[in-house]
Amino acid sequence: MNRGILAFAARRLGMTLVLLLVLSLLVYGLMFLAPGDVARNLLGTKNVTPEALAQIRAQYDLDEPFLVQYWHWAGHALAGDFGTSIRTGGPVGRMLLDRVGITAAISGLAFALAVLAGVPAGVAAALRRGRWADRLLVGGSVVGVSAPGFAVSLILLYVFAVGLGWFPIYGTGEGFLDGLWHLVLPSVALALGLGAFVVKLTRAAVVRELDQDYVTFARSRGLGRGTVLRIVLRNAAIPIVTSLGLMVGYLFGGTVLIEVTFALPGLGALLEDAVLFKDFPVVQALTVLVASVVSVTALLVDLAYLAIDPRVRNRTVRS
């Protein structure tokens, strides 16, 4: 059994590496084709000589063909060197390390809030299907899904930071507790939309299981409500876990707007500046980082199937 699981994990890991290679090549190509000249961005708006432009392009290998530039970047990246930022002149790895903590904290808090509130709310809505509580939760989730993240952020800022003064308006704070307090509003703003998705998906998964014949049979056999509910939740766990894993990408996309709104120096704000400036090394490193997190999460979700559902585990071992 362990050999089959290891073989499955190895296959998925190989597919992940191929995906990262293709994705990095695609993003590098899009940045290469994007309008704008990095050399002119570095030299500013003043009049420059062709010799100065050529010197800048040679310094950053911008005068090389596309595939040669990508080969240089990929070779250094495989060795752990993501290059030097064209915009700031600093090492890209250090820039990511300085900012990843804020993004990880916001995403982690938002994910925890969304799961802790969304899953129980979705289960409660499914168990009270058609009643006023179900309609209220479903209606609230529709509003949460539809509301843009930046609009929710501005409302939270206006009400709880500017109006009531309960939370700071911007910044990261000093120390652990103060820093955590500064991240509460951004995390809540990101968690509202994510939690709304979790409510809808959890409700749909539980309702689908409640309509299965085995639930009717279990009740006819005299099984208690709690026992039946545990069986239902176990069977509904796979689509719920799948949905939560897929939402990791949504977390990063939403974090970009949240960090800009709350003036937080995270990876989202760094990505915005890098794309506008055509900072190839930074964009590439961020792309690989985010794709790696999403891919590893997808792998963990697949492995979670093996622990949740014995049928999936048996099929995996036999294959």
Side-chain angles (χ1 to χ4, degrees):
M1 180 178 296
N2 292 334
R3 186 179 302 174
I5 294 176
L6 289 176
F8 170 77
R11 290 196 302 270
R12 290 287 285 105
L13 182 60
M15 295 170 59
T16 299
L17 294 177
V18 173
L19 175 64
L20 291 177
L21 176 64
V22 174
L23 183 61
S24 65
L25 180 60
L26 177 62
V27 173
Y28 204 94
L30 292 176
M31 288 295 297
F32 185 84
L33 296 174
D37 188 344
V38 176
R40 289 193 175 276
N41 290 343
L42 285 170
L43 295 174
T45 57
K46 60 183 179 181
N47 294 327
V48 294
T49 62
E51 291 77 12
L53 288 174
Q55 182 179 359
I56 292 295
R57 293 191 177 106
Q59 179 180 350
Y60 292 98
D61 296 326
L62 299 175
D63 56 345
E64 300 285 352
F66 164 70
L67 290 179
V68 175
Q69 291 186 38
Y70 174 78
W71 180 256
H72 287 164
W73 176 87
H76 288 90
L78 290 175
D81 179 13
F82 290 98
T84 302
S85 170
I86 297 176
R87 183 172 61 91
T88 65
V92 175
R94 174 56 58 183
M95 295 173 64
L96 298 184
L97 288 176
D98 292 340
R99 292 172 176 256
V100 70
I102 296 176
T103 300
I106 295 175
S107 301
L109 286 173
F111 188 81
L113 291 173
V115 172
L116 293 176
V119 172
V123 173
L127 295 177
R128 294 165 178 80
R129 180 174 28 168
R131 303 178 187 176
W132 66 268
D134 179 32
R135 297 190 182 96
L136 181 63
L137 289 170
V138 172
S141 64
V142 171
V143 174
V145 171
S146 305
F150 71 91
V152 174
S153 301
L154 292 176
I155 293 174
L156 292 177
L157 273 174
Y158 182 78
V159 175
F160 295 102
V162 178
L164 298 176
W166 293 353
F167 295 94
I169 299 177
Y170 64 91
T172 58
E174 299 180 359
F176 176 76
L177 293 179
D178 188 37
L180 188 63
W181 191 245
H182 277 71
L183 298 181
V184 170
L185 277 187
S187 301
V188 171
L190 185 58
L192 286 176
L194 183 63
F197 277 114
V198 174
V199 171
K200 292 177 66 64
L201 293 169
T202 302
R203 180 188 180 277
V206 175
V207 166
R208 183 170 56 251
E209 293 300 323
L210 289 173
D211 290 337
Q212 297 297 318
D213 293 336
Y214 75 85
V215 175
T216 304
F217 178 75
R219 289 171 177 170
S220 66
R221 297 282 294 180
L223 294 181
R225 179 181 177 88
T227 303
V228 175
L229 181 59
R230 283 195 297 271
I231 298 173
V232 168
L233 292 180
R234 184 179 180 88
N235 292 331
I238 285 185
I240 295 174
V241 171
T242 303
S243 303
L244 294 178
L246 294 175
M247 287 180 182
V248 173
Y250 170 86
L251 273 175
F252 182 79
T255 305
V256 174
L257 295 176
I258 298 298
E259 289 178 356
V260 172
T261 305
F262 286 90
L264 296 172
L267 294 179
L270 178 63
L271 178 61
E272 180 193 29
D273 295 337
V275 170
L276 293 176
F277 199 86
K278 291 191 67 174
D279 197 341
F280 285 85
V282 175
V283 174
Q284 281 295 103
L286 282 170
T287 302
V288 172
L289 175 62
V290 175
S292 300
V293 172
V294 174
S295 300
V296 170
T297 302
L299 176 60
L300 294 177
V301 168
D302 289 343
L303 295 178
Y305 292 166
L306 307 180
I308 295 173
D309 195 335
R311 296 169 298 179
V312 178
R313 184 165 58 248
N314 293 334
R315 287 198 301 267
T316 301
V317 171
R318 286 195 299 268
S319 61

